[in-house]
Amino acid sequence: MSLNILFAARPERWTVYEKPLRDALRAAGITAKLKLDIPPSEVDYIVYAPNSTLQDFTPYTRAKAVLNLWAGVEKITGNTTLHIPLARMVDPGLTKGMVEWVTGHVMRYHLGLDIDILHTGTDWTPRTPPLAQERKVGILGMGALGAETARTLVNLGFDAAGWSRSAKSEPGVKCFHGDQGLQDVLARSEILVLLLPDTPATENIINKAALAAMPDGAFIINPGRGPLIDDDALIGALDSGKIAHATLDVFRIEPLPAEHPYWAHPHVTVTPHIAAETRAVTASQVIVENIQRGETGQGFLHLVDRTLGY
Ligand code: NAP
């Protein structure tokens, strides 16, 4: 039997994904029509990006699953026309990219690299770099990305703590959950990394009270989602020096509007949502593995709980 797989993403993504998806299907021995346009009632699987023009899933009566190309699903979880399983992207290539990006920025803050790189003049005052074991890093969100980041930071020697909704155990990582757990992680984090999804429960989690609970002069790194941060509260904390510096990759409005105060703020680094990109070859293997599981009656991997929003 041949499957009909609809590729529902922006046309420029087709040029990136067509060959890796066809290669992965062939390697798995799956015969399929993979196309940009298939009559909805004939589609078996939908490979999907939330910024696709496909927003009404009602006519896709035969489809068995929507397989998301993105890790973030906040733009699709509220779609009331979607009644079939939705899998988010957990891509080893994307995870590696995120771990490297976060580790780089943690190192930058930990070692004070900006001070060294921007060093001018002839001052020869030695500044002994601290050791990772003396640095407390907190990670909000201990999912696919947060847990792997925490493992890497622990391997480098950092005193790392993670916070999640459910209780976790991760060798070498101090694991917290629940409201008190959040307070405990905030209070100890000299460097705080946000790797939570954007859901009603996480919006503005970094608000005035959360920032006040952090150590003076702490650093914030946000590759999660823009709405995790109350922007006015963060700007206030940066202005007062309570927060020394923030590296922000994601924003409520993207691209970040030219007039937004983050652009010109001396204590903010803005990056244009580049922390981690889905990698076509590894992501295609993940998509095809899920199709294979669907066809053999095994449960889909990385299913989204739409009541929780992630
Ligand atoms: P994930 O595997 O779903 O992990 C989410 C983590 O957040 C889990 O540990 C979860 O706790 C925790 N969490 C969710 N809601 C919570 C709450 N209310 N209170 C406490 N903890 C909560 O997601 P992921 O793959 O690691 O990705 C995380 C986010 O990164 C994505 O949602 C996306 O927004 C962002 N992202 C950004 C980029 C970029 O380029 N900037 C790239 C990829 C992803 P449990 O473990 O208890 O469920």
Side-chain angles (χ1 to χ4, degrees), residues 31-45:
T31 312
K33 272 191 204 129
L34 171 70
K35 292 172 75 177
L36 290 170
D37 196 13
I38 300 173
S41 62
E42 295 173 18
V43 170
D44 295 300
Y45 292 93

Side-chain angles (χ1 to χ4, degrees), residues 71-74 88-90 94 98 140-146 163-168 195-199 201-202 205 223-225 249-250 273-277 310:
V73 289
E74 69 278 3
R88 60 193 199 84
M89 179 51 67
V90 177
L94 180 147
M98 183 61 84
L140 302 190
M142 284 286 284
L145 301 177
W163 181 70
S164 49
R165 195 176 48 80
S166 53
K168 295 246 184 295
L195 276 168
L196 290 163
D198 172 14
T199 72
T202 62
I205 200 155
R225 280 293 182 261
D249 184 57
V250 283
H273 201 144
I274 43 80
E277 176 75 47
Y310 71 99

